[in-house]
Amino acid sequence: MTPDGGRDEIERMVAVECPVAIEVDGFGYAVMMMTPERLEDFATGFLLTERLIDRADDIIDIEPFAAEAGWIVRIVLAERVRGRIRDRVRHRTSDTSCGLCGLSGLEQIDRPVAIRPPAPRATAETLFAVLRDLRAHQPLNAETGAVHAAVACAPSGDIVASAEDVGRHNALDKLVGTLARRPDMAVDFILVTSRISYEMVDKALVVGVGLLVGISAPTSLAIDHARAHGLTLIALARPDAMLVAHDPHGRFA
């Protein structure tokens, strides 16, 4: 429909969104509203960022299957990490925004970070080049205009892995899982097509990259979390300008 009252019928792709239930060692842990693609990558990344596992091979088996109302992903963990799910079982239904909803207490928000991230090696010119090339790595968004992307980049600016989902957290978890299952990839920074929240920073810290770039603005808690752990944070990134929100190494000063 146009402002002058004109109407045309068109057909276009619509992004798929459905509930995906995560079951870990028989416990119902979470239900995520998401795009049901690359569920093995998502499950691996989700468990890593939830601190239920430390590495991809802590997972013995992942079995996604379609159910009447959506999808179920059943996961079996190695014995050495199996006690974590028993200690921190929660039942939650999460929408496509807040990944921390459903935690049983405020103390669970402050989760451990294994290593301090290294200084990023990419230059400002590299970041602008990635932003110019980003659309080529968003095929689902090109068709639907309704999904977020997360991409992992080498120091040279080459995009070595990408993921898309209707939920920004889910897209990043898919990317985290991809990187964990392919540890041979050399990754310097991550770029997300969304705002930068506390949890997006936390997921980048789990990967161990030195830089997180976001298309939109950061939150106060995201900046605090990045500052506390030495992560370089760049926000409002566009092909012609970007905001350096936190740069502990002076790389982009």
Side-chain angles (χ1 to χ4, degrees):
M1 185 168 61
T2 61
D4 61 3
R7 294 174 181 269
D8 287 307
E9 291 189 5
I10 64 169
E11 291 186 2
R12 61 170 294 159
M13 292 286 293
V14 176
V16 176
E17 180 182 29
C18 74
V20 176
I22 308 298
E23 295 184 2
V24 184
D25 289 336
F27 293 100
Y29 187 74
V31 178
M32 310 299 290
M33 300 302 295
M34 61 180 294
T35 305
E37 296 178 354
R38 292 171 55 182
L39 292 177
E40 292 90 346
D41 286 338
F42 169 75
T44 302
F46 180 70
L47 265 60
L48 280 165
T49 58
E50 288 289 295
R51 312 306 202 271
L52 291 175
I53 61 173
D54 299 319
R55 53 184 186 264
D57 60 11
D58 285 334
I59 298 176
I60 294 176
D61 186 48
I62 303 175
E63 183 187 1
F65 61 93
E68 184 175 353
W71 283 78
I72 298 173
V73 182
R74 289 182 176 155
I75 304 162
V76 179
L77 299 183
E79 184 61 36
R80 77 172 201 92
V81 296
R82 194 163 290 166
R84 299 182 191 181
I85 185 68
R86 298 182 186 132
D87 292 340
R88 191 160 54 88
V89 168
R90 60 179 175 165
H91 294 272
R92 71 173 184 177
T93 300
S94 174
D95 62 12
T96 56
S97 58
C98 180
L100 288 171
C101 296
L103 287 174
S104 61
L106 292 176
E107 69 280 356
Q108 289 183 296
I109 294 176
D110 188 16
R111 296 181 286 193
V113 175
I115 58 172
R116 193 169 182 86
R121 289 177 284 168
T123 64
E125 290 76 13
T126 298
L127 302 187
F128 285 121
V130 170
L131 288 162
R132 289 192 295 270
D133 295 340
L134 184 59
R135 286 179 181 267
H137 296 269
Q138 297 178 268
L140 186 56
N141 193 60
E143 291 183 333
T144 66
V147 299
H148 284 293
V151 301
C153 303
S156 62
D158 293 332
I159 296 176
V160 297
S162 62
E164 291 184 283
D165 198 278
V166 291
R168 59 196 176 92
H169 293 93
N170 302 332
L172 186 47
D173 274 335
K174 286 179 180 178
L175 184 68
V176 172
T178 299
L179 298 177
R181 288 153 63 94
R182 288 284 309 277
D184 56 306
M185 291 183 180
V187 179
D188 186 53
F189 65 96
I190 286 174
L191 185 147
V192 295
T193 61
S194 66
R195 73 179 185 275
I196 303 175
S197 62
Y198 171 93
E199 196 174 16
M200 301 296 273
V201 168
D202 196 62
K203 293 177 190 295
L205 289 169
V206 168
V207 176
V209 294
L211 168 64
L212 176 63
V213 182
I215 298 298
S216 193
T219 66
S220 62
L221 205 56
I223 295 173
D224 290 345
H225 199 33
R227 183 177 292 125
H229 295 285
L231 178 71
T232 300
L233 201 62
I234 290 180
L236 296 171
R238 301 289 188 273
D240 59 349
M242 59 184 64
L243 172 68
V244 180
H246 179 61
D247 186 7
H249 304 285
R251 290 282 295 148
F252 303 99

